[in-house]
Amino acid sequence: MPTIVVIGGQWGDEGKGAVVDRLVGMEKPTKVVRFNGGGNAGHTVKNELGEFRLHHVPSGIFHPELKRTCVLGGGMVIDLAKLQGELFELENPKPAVEVEPRVFKVNKAVSVEDVKISLLAHLVMPWHRLLEAQEEEMRGEARIATTGQGIGPCYSDRAGRRGVQIRDLNHETALKEKLNLLYPYNLGKLREKYRAQLPSQEMILQELLSLAEELKGHFADTEEMLAEAQNKGETIVLEGAQGTLLDVDYGLYPPFVTSSHTTRWGAYLGSGVKPASDDRVIGVFKAYVTRVGEGPFPTEDTGEAAQQLRNRAKDRGSAEVGTTTGRPRKVGWPDIPLARYSQRINGFTEIAFTKTDVLDELEKIKVAVAYRLGRKSLSIPPRDIGDFRNCEPRYSDMPGWCEDTSKKRRVQDLPEEMKAFLRGFETGVGAPIHLIGVGPKREEVIDLGERNLGSIL
Ligand code: IMP
């Protein structure tokens, strides 16, 4: 069976968690793997077990009926204390609460026994968050507005060969020696204000040892496990975090990106799974665009339509606020040049188009079909950040459908205006839409299976 790679096509928050949750139920993989990022991610899943927010654990965790292992791959950077809390909450969910009239979160316990963590994954150490806060302060007005989870400094240490890995936790003496080297080194990099917040070396060591003791049953040679699964022809799902436009190499643009590889290519690198020509590569795109943090955003809207979108998203149970940070996300119009760029980098074999129901009440939808840069018309964003900042979107106005689509389950039943909108996106990007999300719940989806819009409409 081919490997299925799920990648965010935009700036993250496209709804990958819900797509993976559903996909796992349908394709029944034996392994579901997160391969990049860490505590900066926030994958929201709503299903019959309740509503969950995952930071490290793959969204395949909610299928207890399947014999599947959820893997935290070697490309991840893991905050062990945060992960411990996440696993605990999955096993000991908070009691059901009423969140708004007639809507309940009914969290049921989930077994985390099958969660395995790669020995190669790196640990986010207490100094990483402090170094990040210090750097953001140093940048001042030019700050990246990161999630504050220590992700950048942790990946920098990985590249600089100064990282602490899961495998180090199996060797107490070597771990102590590593801390003897790293603690004073990092203390020296921190200014007084931040230095005072760093726990002592002994406290850090004891905390690591106690977390390792508790979590060691999850540590595994996951690369070997995945190679075996692949040799046996088992189905593997690789679940991306963040989105293509935040990729450390291909994102638009440094420094307004995360520090990991968020694309299809990062999926292989961060899991150890070999690419194959028949892999399915699913690009997840939200029907509009959002962004958290700083950086250019050509189709951003701060007016009435944006407020309408926010309100509708909130009403539909997926308010546009950061899952990890609680920051409001900036909102903008659908952007074909960006999506086309994403397609060019990843080579998606199909598209999962999410949150279309959020557009239900708009009378007019502005779709950016190209950029104008001076006298030039561009079909994909320019590589130069200055040029990108100066790009003006060229919009095509499409009529909205002004109809509730959340109950639709067949593409034939969708309003004509919505069909035209979907076809326009698919044609503009150059990959077929196979899944249309019409709400945050598992069942609120139109699945085209093997067929595509063109063959049905
Ligand atoms: P970092 O990953 O915390 O270093 O943040 C770098 C940039 O990526 C910032 O603009 C963040 O807002 C953004 N970012 C990181 N993780 C996510 C995510 O899961 N969703 C959306 N944006 C993210």
Side-chain angles (χ1 to χ4, degrees):
M1 292 293 278
T3 296
I4 307 173
V5 190
V6 180
I7 297 294
Q10 297 157 325
W11 273 297
D13 309 317
E14 300 92 351
K16 296 176 292 293
V19 169
V20 169
D21 175 54
R22 189 160 192 286
L23 191 72
V24 168
M26 291 187 51
E27 302 296 334
K28 307 195 174 10
T30 59
K31 310 280 179 286
V32 188
V33 191
R34 271 280 308 273
F35 57 82
N36 75 303
N40 52 349
H43 291 181
T44 306
V45 178
K46 286 186 193 181
N47 53 32
E48 78 280 2
L49 297 172
E51 180 179 335
F52 301 86
R53 284 178 180 77
L54 300 168
H55 301 286
H56 297 87
V57 176
S59 306
I61 190 79
F62 304 107
H63 285 276
E65 77 283 7
L66 300 177
K67 243 178 115 8
R68 49 90 202 91
T69 307
C70 287
V71 175
L72 277 62
M76 288 188 72
V77 289
I78 295 174
D79 182 329
L80 269 193
K82 192 167 176 164
L83 172 64
Q84 181 201 35
E86 198 173 320
L87 295 174
F88 181 84
E89 276 187 24
L90 284 166
E91 283 197 309
N92 306 278
K94 295 193 186 90
V97 286
E98 190 175 344
V99 281
E100 56 188 76
R102 292 179 289 110
V103 181
F104 290 87
K105 290 185 195 174
V106 191
N107 281 3
K108 293 200 183 131
V110 173
S111 165
V112 297
E113 206 180 312
D114 289 334
V115 172
K116 296 294 171 203
I117 311 170
S118 167
L119 297 171
L120 300 185
H122 279 246
L123 298 181
V124 175
M125 300 294 288
W127 49 76
H128 288 140
R129 283 172 188 261
L130 296 172
L131 286 167
E132 181 172 337
Q134 177 171 288
E135 186 174 328
E136 283 283 83
E137 188 182 303
M138 180 272 291
R139 285 178 186 270
E141 289 289 291
R143 73 186 186 288
I144 301 169
T146 63
T147 59
Q149 303 296 307
I151 304 295
C154 186
Y155 276 115
S156 303
D157 275 351
R158 184 178 83 160
R161 296 155 295 182
R162 296 180 294 269
V164 183
Q165 290 177 283
I166 291 285
R167 60 180 161 193
D168 293 324
L169 301 175
N170 288 334
H171 308 283
E172 190 175 329
T173 312
L175 178 67
K176 277 185 191 156
E177 279 167 16
K178 212 167 203 183
L179 288 188
N180 284 343
L181 190 74
L182 295 178
Y183 188 87
Y185 173 78
N186 285 289
L187 197 65
K189 288 206 279 187
L190 290 169
R191 288 205 309 268
E192 186 53 42
K193 169 177 154 193
Y194 294 102
R195 200 182 301 167
Q197 297 172 45
L198 188 67
S200 71
Q201 183 174 336
E202 187 55 27
M203 275 171 75
I204 293 176
L205 175 69
Q206 291 313 323
E207 162 96 344
L208 277 184
L209 292 175
S210 113
L211 285 165
E213 184 57 31
E214 194 170 325
L215 296 172
K216 66 182 176 200
H218 296 287
F219 302 163
D221 183 348
T222 61
E223 290 72 32
E224 186 55 30
M225 178 193 292
L226 290 169
E228 264 179 38
Q230 210 172 8
N231 285 342
K232 286 190 203 150
E234 294 174 12
T235 301
I236 298 172
V237 170
L238 305 179
E239 173 184 351
Q242 292 85 46
T244 299
L245 306 174
L246 289 172
D247 183 87
V248 66
D249 285 325
Y250 293 107
L252 300 175
Y253 277 90
F256 304 111
V257 293
T258 189
S259 296
S260 69
H261 297 287
T262 60
T263 60
R264 168 193 194 171
W265 313 108
Y268 303 117
L269 204 58
S271 65
V273 169
K274 295 184 286 295
S277 57
D278 62 346
D279 285 350
R280 282 175 65 189
V281 188
I282 305 178
V284 186
F285 289 88
K286 191 147 60 176
Y288 49 102
V289 184
T290 59
R291 175 162 206 184
V292 263
E294 298 299 326
F297 183 174
T299 64
E300 182 179 1
D301 191 304
T302 50
E304 223 173 274
Q307 198 46 49
Q308 214 181 336
L309 271 188
R310 284 183 187 292
N311 294 344
R312 171 80 179 154
K314 194 163 175 233
D315 287 349
R316 294 291 301 132
S318 50
E320 290 299 353
V321 290
T323 310
T324 301
T325 57
R327 294 181 292 187
R329 297 175 185 145
K330 297 171 191 165
V331 173
W333 296 105
D335 188 327
I336 303 277
L338 281 188
R340 213 178 264 137
Y341 173 78
S342 201
Q343 160 67 359
R344 186 169 286 195
I345 299 296
N346 293 287
F348 297 128
T349 58
E350 59 200 91
I351 290 174
F353 204 64
T354 61
K355 294 204 187 186
T356 39
D357 55 308
V358 173
L359 304 183
D360 279 355
E361 290 172 355
L362 294 178
E363 280 175 16
K364 184 178 80 179
I365 300 171
K366 288 166 66 177
V367 179
V369 290
Y371 291 150
R372 203 175 287 120
L373 180 65
R375 296 163 71 95
K376 280 193 272 178
S377 176
L378 305 178
S379 62
I380 59 165
R383 290 303 301 169
D384 183 83
I385 186 159
D387 285 346
F388 187 46
R389 278 189 191 285
N390 291 327
C391 279
E392 286 284 328
R394 198 157 61 71
Y395 287 111
S396 163
D397 288 347
M398 302 195 75
W401 42 92
C402 299
E403 183 183 330
D404 181 1
T405 57
S406 63
K407 306 269 180 318
K408 308 280 186 202
R409 297 293 175 268
R410 285 174 2 125
V411 91
Q412 295 88 326
D413 301 335
L414 293 175
E416 289 307 317
E417 295 83 357
M418 187 168 168
K419 288 181 193 164
F421 172 69
L422 294 168
R423 285 289 282 151
F425 190 85
E426 181 177 85
T427 316
V429 177
I433 293 179
H434 276 196
L435 198 97
I436 303 160
V438 288
K441 297 197 196 110
R442 208 183 245 175
E443 66 279 10
E444 289 177 326
V445 80
I446 299 172
D447 191 340
L448 281 72
E450 293 295 301
R451 298 179 305 164
N452 56 40
L453 282 178
S455 67
I456 301 175
L457 300 181

